[in-house]
Amino acid sequence: MVRLVKKCVLAALLALSATTFAGNQKEEALADGVRLALANAIADARPPKPQFVSIEERIKYLHWLGEMSTRLKKRLPDWQVRREFLETTWYEAKRAGLDPALVLGLVQVESAFRKYAVSPVGAHGYMQVMPFWTRVIGDGDRRKLFHMQTNLRYGCSILRLYLDQEAGNLYLALGRYNGSRGRPEYPNAVLAAWKQWEFQAVPAVAQANPQ
């Protein structure tokens, strides 16, 4: 009985942590050029298939994919879903000039990797995107925020926008993403989660030291 109570309490805490920091981006007036650039980025329908300039880069990516899949297995048990999520996260993060580990950390804090998460303020999906963005830079269909690639593309594009607005200051950009700019709780939570998803690449060919 005690063990059951502990499990229930733990589940409640995990659920609370997934909604405490849920995104609440504020709708702001955007310059026409910025809005158009964001709209064009969102409308790009190319599939998340990465291109590599060298075999070494491809090997590094495959090592990352395997390592992250192992780490994510408990949260996303289905192998196909897990692989698609990681491939898309990597692609959209790189496309926006972000570290995939940062995006994974943000998703962990925002939604606990729940595709259909909806926050008390109405934020949707993995990256807890506010529906008004679909009107500002999309086609107005908020249901698309539950589509994996669409949600990750919106989230990464919005975080990139905030980083540019804050002159590269990640702490302030994360606060703006959460609607809590200037407060430490959310940026600190994401930065801590980011560390859990960092990846140290292993050289493709290990060379023995000469004797």
Side-chain angles (χ1 to χ4, degrees):
M1 183 65 179
V2 174
R3 182 176 298 178
L4 178 61
V5 171
K6 287 183 177 179
K7 286 184 178 181
C8 292
V9 171
L10 178 59
L13 289 174
L14 289 174
L16 179 61
S17 65
T19 58
T20 299
F21 296 115
N24 186 21
Q25 302 103 15
K26 307 297 184 184
E27 185 169 359
E28 304 172 16
L30 298 176
D32 288 343
V34 173
R35 183 176 54 77
L36 181 60
L38 281 171
N40 288 337
I42 295 301
D44 186 350
R46 287 176 292 181
K49 298 300 181 185
Q51 302 293 323
F52 302 99
V53 297
S54 68
I55 188 62
E56 289 78 12
E57 285 298 311
R58 176 169 174 76
I59 291 173
K60 180 180 177 181
Y61 166 74
L62 291 175
H63 284 166
W64 175 87
L65 190 62
E67 174 63 26
M68 294 305 110
S69 180
T70 299
R71 297 186 196 180
L72 194 57
K73 189 173 183 179
K74 289 184 178 180
R75 293 180 172 92
L76 296 178
D78 184 273
W79 179 85
Q80 188 63 39
V81 170
R82 189 166 68 250
R83 182 183 179 90
E84 181 183 354
F85 173 79
L86 287 170
E87 288 178 338
T88 306
T89 298
W90 191 93
Y91 180 86
E92 295 299 337
K94 292 289 186 178
R95 187 172 179 272
L98 303 172
D99 184 345
L102 168 62
V103 177
L104 288 170
L106 189 147
V107 172
Q108 177 178 318
V109 171
E110 286 286 353
S111 68
F113 298 95
R114 292 178 297 134
K115 181 178 182 179
Y116 297 106
V118 178
S119 78
V121 294
H124 284 42
Y126 287 117
M127 294 189 75
Q128 291 291 275
V129 177
M130 291 296 288
F132 73 78
W133 284 108
T134 62
R135 170 174 46 81
V136 175
I137 59 175
D139 61 5
D141 186 355
R142 66 174 59 192
R143 294 172 299 178
K144 291 181 179 178
L145 294 177
F146 292 125
H147 177 265
M148 179 184 292
Q149 184 176 5
T150 301
N151 187 275
L152 292 167
R153 176 161 295 181
Y154 267 93
C156 289
S157 298
I158 293 164
L159 181 56
R160 179 74 261 170
L161 168 67
Y162 290 151
L163 269 169
D164 293 341
Q165 289 180 336
E166 297 292 354
N169 187 315
L170 180 58
Y171 183 89
L172 293 178
L174 287 171
R176 189 184 287 268
Y177 189 94
N178 180 248
S180 59
R181 186 179 184 276
R183 294 173 53 187
E185 295 86 358
Y186 178 79
N188 287 343
V190 174
L191 294 175
W194 181 4
K195 294 182 181 298
Q196 299 179 33
W197 299 100
E198 289 180 336
F199 173 69
Q200 184 64 44
V202 178
V205 178
Q207 297 182 352
N209 293 326
Q211 299 296 324

